[in-house]
Amino acid sequence: MSDILEYKCPNCGGTVNFDTSTQKMKCPFCDTEFDVSEVEQPNNEASDEMQWDTDTGTRWQEGEDGNMSVFTCKSCGGEIVGDENTVSSTCPYCGNAVVMSGRISGMLKPDYIIPFKLDKKAAKEKLKSYVNSKKLAPNTFKSENRLEEIKGVYVPFWLFDSNINASINYEGTRVRTWRDNDYEYTETSFYDVYRQGNMSFMNIPVDGSNKMPDDLMESIEPYDFSEAVDFKSAYLAGYLADKYDVDMQASIPRANQRIKESAADTLGNTVQGYTSLIPRVTNVQLINGVSKYALFPVWLLKTKYKDQNYTFAMNGQTGKIIGDLPVDNGKLIGIFSGIAAVISVVAYGVVNLLGLF
């Protein structure tokens, strides 16, 4: 049977939330603060490390129905509706933070969670600074910008660790030019360049939610995994959270691609002194790959301008923000006009120097 978890203050009985400033649970009614561990029920389940080609791992307790989509708030009796992947939300009637303990039966339990460090106020300030820093954004968008929606979401991520052996063959060129009184000469020399090395990668993240575009989530990286803590559901209080709907096996191709690209960049940075460098053959061998499951904090901010919606994503730990902005065509034309004017002046000066005008 599905149920809702609400974490109550031991002093006044009010529903408590996770506070980003103190990294503790805090009661909004009596301001009592206490550690997350004080509100968690003991959990004696073992945590198994998961290989990429297996489906073992720590799982939520069996016997819970994972198909419920309507929940009843224990504080006010209101109904809370979430989609099939929602595991944390707020009551739309009384505002209490709730964790939906149903619909997670048989799912892997997160190994780690990075708690939110930036609260809603900080997220709004970051968005304002981001918009004001964009010179081509319309002035009216900057002055009249009003948030339509802001929500903190714990997004599921698969984290991959691996040792690799990588090798790349490049075609390198060196170009030399010289001239005499009559001609200019160009000499191009071609080289076979080889690089090989062993590398270790840890916590390569892959977004485990179909709701979140991979490019958007990767744009707000990196996260500082040193601040990750063992997962406790109390951290979800006051925020939205989804369970993964892209499993570990489906995430492996993206993890492999990210590792391959990083290895190529690392080896490529060791090659210098060539005019051009083109990779011809790349070989990356995976050694002892393992994966973990974690929740990362993301602020999603939505605003509207001239009947068009704009969405921004912000790293809830570091404050890095990304999103599309409207462009003021007048400002854009002004910039291009200025560039054209500079080019005209330079061209006029060159013509005068050549004595052709």
Side-chain angles (χ1 to χ4, degrees), residues 85-87 107-110 112-113 153-160 205-214 217 223 231 236 240-247 251 292-298:
N85 294 316
T86 302
V87 296
M107 301 293 290
L108 286 172
K109 184 178 180 180
Y112 301 100
I113 185 171
V153 182
Y154 279 110
V155 178
F157 278 85
W158 297 104
L159 307 179
F160 294 88
V206 177
D207 173 19
S209 171
N210 275 317
K211 294 179 183 178
M212 303 295 179
D214 289 344
M217 292 297 97
Y223 287 87
F231 175 79
L236 306 181
L240 301 175
D242 285 345
K243 65 183 182 182
Y244 62 87
D245 55 4
V246 179
D247 64 21
S251 300
K292 302 181 290 288
Y293 176 33
L295 298 180
F296 285 178
V298 177

Side-chain angles (χ1 to χ4, degrees), residues 233-291:
S233 58
Y235 286 110
L236 306 181
Y239 299 95
L240 301 175
D242 285 345
K243 65 183 182 182
Y244 62 87
D245 55 4
V246 179
D247 64 21
M248 181 271 293
Q249 291 289 344
S251 300
I252 287 178
R254 181 56 187 157
N256 290 342
Q257 183 64 27
R258 299 198 74 180
I259 290 174
K260 184 177 179 179
E261 291 173 355
S262 295
D265 289 343
T266 300
L267 292 180
N269 289 335
T270 68
V271 184
Q272 298 179 355
Y274 294 92
T275 305
S276 67
L277 193 69
I278 302 173
R280 295 303 187 190
V281 180
T282 300
N283 182 34
V284 178
Q285 295 180 339
L286 186 74
I287 306 169
N288 299 327
V290 296
S291 68

Side-chain angles (χ1 to χ4, degrees), residues 111-283:
D111 298 296
Y112 301 100
I113 185 171
I114 296 180
F116 274 88
K117 291 192 69 175
L118 300 172
D119 61 14
K120 184 179 292 187
K121 181 180 178 181
K124 291 179 180 179
E125 290 299 321
K126 289 285 186 181
L127 177 61
K128 182 178 179 180
S129 297
Y130 177 79
V131 172
N132 288 336
S133 69
K134 304 303 178 181
K135 295 182 178 180
L136 291 180
N139 292 332
T140 52
F141 180 81
K142 294 180 180 181
S143 61
E144 299 176 6
N145 180 33
R146 293 187 298 273
L147 281 173
E148 297 286 327
E149 182 181 8
I150 177 171
K151 56 184 179 181
V153 182
Y154 279 110
V155 178
F157 278 85
W158 297 104
L159 307 179
F160 294 88
D161 299 347
S162 178
N163 298 319
I164 67 165
N165 182 286
S167 62
I168 303 181
N169 280 95
Y170 301 92
E171 180 186 274
T173 65
R174 287 176 180 161
V175 179
R176 185 170 69 95
T177 60
W178 70 94
R179 63 180 307 147
D180 57 23
N181 292 334
D182 299 317
Y183 301 100
E184 180 176 284
Y185 304 88
T186 300
E187 177 188 76
T188 302
S189 301
F190 293 86
Y191 298 86
D192 182 21
V193 183
Y194 178 78
R195 289 291 186 273
Q196 183 271 337
N198 298 317
M199 307 177 201
S200 295
F201 291 87
M202 294 187 65
N203 303 318
I204 300 296
V206 177
D207 173 19
S209 171
N210 275 317
K211 294 179 183 178
M212 303 295 179
D214 289 344
D215 56 349
L216 188 64
M217 292 297 97
E218 292 176 8
S219 295
I220 61 174
E221 293 177 11
Y223 287 87
D224 182 0
F225 192 75
S226 68
E227 296 182 340
V229 297
D230 292 339
F231 175 79
K232 292 182 174 62
S233 58
Y235 286 110
L236 306 181
Y239 299 95
L240 301 175
D242 285 345
K243 65 183 182 182
Y244 62 87
D245 55 4
V246 179
D247 64 21
M248 181 271 293
Q249 291 289 344
S251 300
I252 287 178
R254 181 56 187 157
N256 290 342
Q257 183 64 27
R258 299 198 74 180
I259 290 174
K260 184 177 179 179
E261 291 173 355
S262 295
D265 289 343
T266 300
L267 292 180
N269 289 335
T270 68
V271 184
Q272 298 179 355
Y274 294 92
T275 305
S276 67
L277 193 69
I278 302 173
R280 295 303 187 190
V281 180
T282 300
N283 182 34

Side-chain angles (χ1 to χ4, degrees), residues 308-322:
Q308 186 170 349
N309 294 318
Y310 295 89
T311 300
F312 304 86
M314 191 187 89
N315 186 314
Q317 180 191 38
T318 67
K320 184 178 180 181
I321 190 170
I322 196 72

